[in-house]
Amino acid sequence: MPSDSKLSFSITKASPEDLDELHKIERLCFGGGKAASRQAFLYRLTNFPDYFLKAKAGGKIAGFVNGCPSDQSYITDDLFLEGSPFKASGQNLLIFGLAVHPDFRRQGIAHALMEQILRAAKADGKRRVSLTCEEHLIPFYEAFGYKNHGVSKSVIGGIKFFDMETGL
């Protein structure tokens, strides 16, 4: 995509029918043991559809953001296991991933997805939203009002992550 063109895209809830395309983007964007399993994606799509959003452009899924409600303040590795401490009525939203297919980057999709999930969390009465990110992404999330709360206990993929949180 030429960077000077204005990309038209829409954001809607993802569905289980989108699973293969969404998981392909996950694997492209989160290599090195950081990608969630196909089964984890299906679980999220089925159990937390309000917090699994997709961006579509040109008939293709260009990116997504997903998370779950919880009373936990931060993401911990046990959240990625079956029987994890998800709580539909939880006061917080924990964002698992924000990913944009490489062909669609630098078009405003990641920003729009983040803004939309923050609006959804606020409309649902959530108090805080948190996520983990690698150090180079801290400024991106700070632009949305997230504060860095230091090194995360999450060590998925052997990466050093940072806990980021914003109030709503």
Side-chain angles (χ1 to χ4, degrees), residues 133-168:
C133 71
E134 294 180 58
E135 189 168 15
H136 71 278
L137 292 170
I138 290 172
F140 173 82
Y141 291 110
E142 285 176 336
F144 290 97
Y146 285 88
K147 303 286 184 227
N148 181 356
H149 288 260
V151 176
S152 176
K153 291 180 182 176
S154 178
V155 293
I156 293 290
I159 303 295
K160 181 179 174 181
F161 291 107
F162 291 81
D163 286 324
M164 304 290 291
E165 181 183 65
T166 187
L168 295 175

Side-chain angles (χ1 to χ4, degrees), residues 80-96:
F80 298 103
L81 304 173
E82 198 151 330
S84 62
F86 297 135
K87 186 175 180 185
S89 63
Q91 296 185 20
N92 304 319
L93 175 66
L94 307 177
I95 295 179
F96 291 125

Side-chain angles (χ1 to χ4, degrees), residues 7-156:
L7 181 68
S8 176
F9 60 90
S10 62
I11 296 176
T12 59
K13 289 181 189 176
S15 70
E17 292 77 33
D18 300 318
L19 178 60
D20 290 334
E21 204 171 347
L22 292 165
H23 195 244
K24 179 181 177 184
I25 295 170
E26 171 81 357
R27 290 189 323 270
L28 275 171
C29 297
F30 297 104
K34 294 183 286 183
S37 70
R38 188 176 186 281
Q39 182 179 352
F41 263 42
L42 182 58
Y43 181 82
R44 295 173 195 175
L45 285 163
T46 304
N47 290 283
F48 308 107
D50 292 340
Y51 296 112
F52 207 129
L53 306 177
K54 67 181 177 184
K56 204 162 186 179
K60 295 181 179 180
I61 296 177
F64 66 84
V65 62
N66 72 98
C68 77
S70 177
D71 280 331
Q72 285 190 202
S73 295
Y74 300 109
I75 291 174
T76 53
D77 290 345
D78 61 334
L79 286 167
F80 298 103
L81 304 173
E82 198 151 330
S84 62
F86 297 135
K87 186 175 180 185
S89 63
Q91 296 185 20
N92 304 319
L93 175 66
L94 307 177
I95 295 179
F96 291 125
L98 170 64
V100 176
H101 190 287
D103 292 346
F104 293 96
R105 290 185 179 157
R106 304 218 176 270
Q107 302 287 330
I109 293 172
H111 280 85
L113 284 164
M114 181 56 63
E115 288 171 351
Q116 184 66 28
I117 202 162
L118 289 172
R119 279 194 297 274
K122 187 173 186 173
D124 287 347
K126 303 302 178 206
R127 294 178 57 214
R128 291 186 304 267
V129 178
S130 67
L131 54 85
T132 59
C133 71
E134 294 180 58
E135 189 168 15
H136 71 278
L137 292 170
I138 290 172
F140 173 82
Y141 291 110
E142 285 176 336
F144 290 97
Y146 285 88
K147 303 286 184 227
N148 181 356
H149 288 260
V151 176
S152 176
K153 291 180 182 176
S154 178
V155 293
I156 293 290

